[in-house]
């Protein structure tokens, strides 16, 4: 028997509670979602039942999200916390990090992103774990966590990590509508060209390069992570003005952080292990493809 | 060969190399036209106004599962003209296998040799480990009136002992055999590296 997961949502606006709670039905129909309108009611619930994830608004009367979060740390240290606020500032964010909030989301909240974050909090980011692990699960977890955080920070519709041969290493967000491999191969071309152009000017290739496209709705960003990898972001900007500066700031940080991590991973990622002969299998599959 | 264990994908990169107008893009177009539409991407072509490849063409094919992995084949073609040397170099990087598309027309002998030598130089510059990248040679345009005899072409490339594939890419003849051959060589090589 599988035990269904439990989520507690705390917000003083009933309409928001309804929207958030409904949005989670798609994540998992067996999910048990409880909603309450203030921090005290939340603590009552938390003392009565274990919860896997607690989603709380920051700005609430009497007990704000941070105070609640602090209390939850004692009541249920294993619960993962997601904080939502319309009044986010650096101080609040720093405080949220200190008490180890799982993710910090700002309003206006995009429901898809919210759902994704809850899913990550419930199941870890990836439902599918490699059965033959060349990269450790811990590596994947850290990698996905960084990409997920970046996606939330810049409100990207998707974030991809590829190598410069356009091999997709990790992706998060909505990629169904995007020809991922084609986009990755084209952007790899742009970035590699940019790196070479830079090298031709001053001989230095150890920089972060950005290829940027301002679309009507969707902006496109590609940054290099070292010389081997690429970070690609699709940001649905809607009718608002470009967020080039903040996207660049966040993405650049992640690109620099990821570089060391990926160098480690790369050294082990290229050792394929195949049982038996596979030439025949390839031949059969190619014949099917070209039949 | 790139394996993404997380997505359980295996990716092979095959590059079509050769002199300008030898039929590299045509090879990709034929494969695109013949492959099951559910298992291939769009043919991405970065062209100049004269319909000549600017940077590369790109086509992705997906195969059914093998050993629990979903293989994807990335086909690239490089621009043939001499002044795109730098672009060719970038596209060749990370290739698992190369199809050299030679032009059988007698008047293209020099262009064939130049392209062949530039490819050899690029492969050397990649400083690859002991196992060299497999190269399959396709002798294209066998239908032109002034086509060079096969043994002569092979001697030009100093590959008299090696199997080559005769083709007429515009009709698709020989195109798929070449693709199968390069993939077979790449897979065989990977097996040897693992063993």
């Amino acid at each position: 028997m599988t035990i269904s997961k439990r989520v507690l949502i705390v917000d003083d606006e009933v309409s928001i509670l309804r929207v958030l709670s409904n949005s989670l039905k798609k994540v998992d129909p067996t999910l048990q979602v409880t909603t309450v309108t203030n921090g005290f009611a939340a603590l009552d619930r938390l003392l009565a039942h274990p919860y896997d994830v607690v989603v709380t608004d920051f700005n609430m009367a009497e007990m704000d999200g941070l105070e609640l979060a602090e209390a939850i740390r004692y009541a249920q240290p294993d619960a993962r916390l997601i904080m939502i606020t319309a009044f986010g500032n650096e101080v609040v964010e720093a405080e949220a990090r200190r008490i180890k909030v799982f993710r910090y989301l700002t309003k206006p909240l995009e429901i898809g992103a919210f759902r994704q974050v809850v899913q990550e909090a419930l199941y870890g980011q990836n439902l599918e774990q490699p059965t033959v692990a060349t990269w450790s699960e811990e590596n994947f977890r850290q990698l996905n966590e960084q990409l997920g955080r970046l996606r939330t920070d810049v409100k990207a519709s998707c974030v991809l990590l590829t190598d410069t041969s356009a091999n997709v290493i990790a992706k998060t967000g909505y990629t169904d509508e995007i020809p991922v491999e084609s986009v990755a191969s084209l952007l790899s071309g742009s970035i590699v060209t940019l790196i070479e152009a830079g090298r031709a000017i001053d001989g230095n290739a150890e920089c972060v390069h950005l290829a940027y496209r301002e679309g009507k709705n969707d902006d496109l960003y590609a940054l290099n992570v070292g010389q081997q990898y690429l970070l690609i972001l699709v940001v649905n900007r809607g009718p608002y003005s470009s967020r080039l500066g903040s996207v660049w700031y966040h993405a650049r940080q992640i690109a620099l952080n990821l570089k060391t991590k990926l160098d480690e991973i790369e050294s082990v990622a290229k050792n394929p292990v195949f049982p038996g002969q596979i030439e025949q299998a390839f031949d059969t599959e190619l014949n099917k493809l070209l039949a | 060969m790139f394996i993404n264990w997380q997505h359980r994908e295996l990716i092979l990169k095959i590059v079509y190399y050769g002199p300008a107008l030898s039929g590299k893009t045509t090879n990709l177009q034929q494969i695109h036209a013949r492959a099951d539409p559910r298992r291939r991407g769009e043919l991405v072509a970065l062209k100049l106004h004269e319909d000549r490849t600017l940077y590369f063409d790109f086509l992705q094919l997906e195969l059914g599962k093998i050993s629990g992995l979903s293989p994807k084949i990335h086909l690239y073609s490089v621009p043939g003209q001499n002044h795109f040397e730098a672009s060719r170099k970038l596209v060749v990087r990370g290739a698992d296998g190369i199809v050299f598309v030679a032009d059988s027309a007698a008047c293209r002998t020099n262009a064939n040799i130049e392209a062949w030598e530039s490819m050899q130089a690029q492969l050397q510059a990649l400083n690859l480990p002991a196992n060299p990248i497999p190269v399959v040679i396709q002798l294209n345009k066998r239908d032109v009136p002034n086509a060079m005899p096969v043994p002569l072409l092979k001697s030009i490339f100093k590959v008299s002992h090696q199997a080559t594939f005769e083709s007429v890419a515009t009709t698709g003849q020989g195109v798929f055999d070449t693709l199968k051959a390069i993939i077979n060589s790449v897979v065989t090589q990977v097996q040897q590296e693992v063993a």
Side-chain angles (χ1 to χ4, degrees), chain B:
Chain B
M1 162 101 42
F2 175 88
I3 298 192
N4 185 331
W5 293 111
Q6 186 185 18
H7 299 128
R8 305 204 54 73
E9 285 172 357
L10 175 157
I11 298 163
L12 297 181
K13 178 175 179 177
I14 308 291
V15 175
Y16 282 69
Y17 203 102
L21 296 170
S22 68
K24 301 172 291 294
T25 301
T26 313
N27 265 272
L28 263 57
Q29 284 167 340
Q30 288 289 346
I31 295 165
H32 180 258
R34 167 100 168 255
D36 182 344
R38 289 164 300 178
R39 294 202 164 183
R40 59 145 166 80
E42 287 308 307
L43 179 60
V44 175
L46 297 180
K47 284 179 193 302
L48 288 178
H49 55 283
E50 297 157 316
D51 224 27
R52 309 285 287 274
T53 303
L54 167 64
Y55 196 172
F56 56 76
D57 302 312
F58 172 76
L59 174 64
Q60 174 177 264
L61 305 172
E62 289 179 30
L63 301 185
K65 281 207 165 127
I66 294 173
S67 295
L69 296 171
S70 303
K72 290 185 172 178
I73 299 170
H74 288 181
L75 303 180
Y76 286 81
S77 76
V78 297
Q81 289 137 296
N82 287 341
H83 51 277
F84 288 132
E85 173 81 13
S87 312
R88 279 196 293 275
K89 213 162 149 182
L90 297 179
V91 177
V92 166
R93 226 159 72 168
D96 297 298
I98 293 182
V99 173
F100 186 86
V101 183
D103 193 326
S104 294
C107 59
R108 299 294 288 160
T109 305
N110 277 340
N112 281 331
I113 293 173
E114 266 180 41
W116 180 258
E117 286 176 349
S118 107
M119 179 187 79
Q120 300 289 357
Q122 288 184 4
L123 292 181
Q124 275 179 6
L126 288 174
N127 284 326
L128 294 163
N131 293 308
I133 295 180
V135 178
V136 162
I137 299 169
Q138 183 187 68
L139 308 176
N140 193 26
K141 303 195 189 176
R142 294 310 299 162
D143 59 336
V144 296
N146 58 346
M148 298 256 281
V150 172
L152 194 55
L153 272 169
K154 286 172 77 161
S155 73
I156 287 174
F157 299 124
K158 304 188 179 73
V159 291
S160 300
H161 55 286
Q162 204 176 310
T164 52
F165 292 81
E166 295 179 43
S167 68
V168 182
T170 46
T171 66
Q173 185 199 318
V175 167
F176 310 115
D177 291 337
T178 310
L179 176 64
K180 284 180 200 168
I182 187 62
I183 288 174
N184 193 275
S185 305
V186 169
V187 172
T188 306
Q189 170 126 337
V190 170
Q191 295 262 298
Q192 284 165 358
E193 280 173 24
V194 172

Side-chain angles (χ1 to χ4, degrees), chain A residues 124-145:
Chain A
Q125 173 131 5
N126 285 285
L127 304 169
E128 226 175 282
Q129 286 299 333
T131 47
V132 188
T134 310
W135 297 11
S136 71
E137 290 189 11
E138 179 57 20
N139 275 337
F140 270 123
R141 200 190 57 71
Q142 288 178 12
L143 184 64
N144 284 311
E145 202 175 283

Side-chain angles (χ1 to χ4, degrees), chain A residues 83-145:
Chain A
M83 179 97 63
I84 303 173
T85 178
F87 303 95
N89 62 39
E90 280 170 18
V91 178
V92 175
E93 274 187 53
E95 191 60 18
R97 262 197 299 277
R98 186 186 66 78
I99 49 176
K100 297 206 168 64
V101 164
F102 177 75
R103 203 61 62 76
Y104 183 85
L105 297 172
T106 49
K107 290 178 184 170
L109 200 57
E110 199 237 309
I111 286 301
F114 169 71
R115 201 182 287 141
Q116 168 99 10
V117 166
V118 172
Q119 194 158 338
E120 286 163 24
L122 281 169
Y123 309 104
Q125 173 131 5
N126 285 285
L127 304 169
E128 226 175 282
Q129 286 299 333
T131 47
V132 188
T134 310
W135 297 11
S136 71
E137 290 189 11
E138 179 57 20
N139 275 337
F140 270 123
R141 200 190 57 71
Q142 288 178 12
L143 184 64
N144 284 311
E145 202 175 283

Side-chain angles (χ1 to χ4, degrees), chain A residues 156-176:
Chain A
S157 46
C158 69
V159 177
L160 304 172
L161 183 77
T162 75
D163 67 11
T164 47
S165 299
N167 298 312
V168 178
I169 294 161
K171 53 186 174 187
T172 169
Y174 310 102
T175 53
D176 290 354

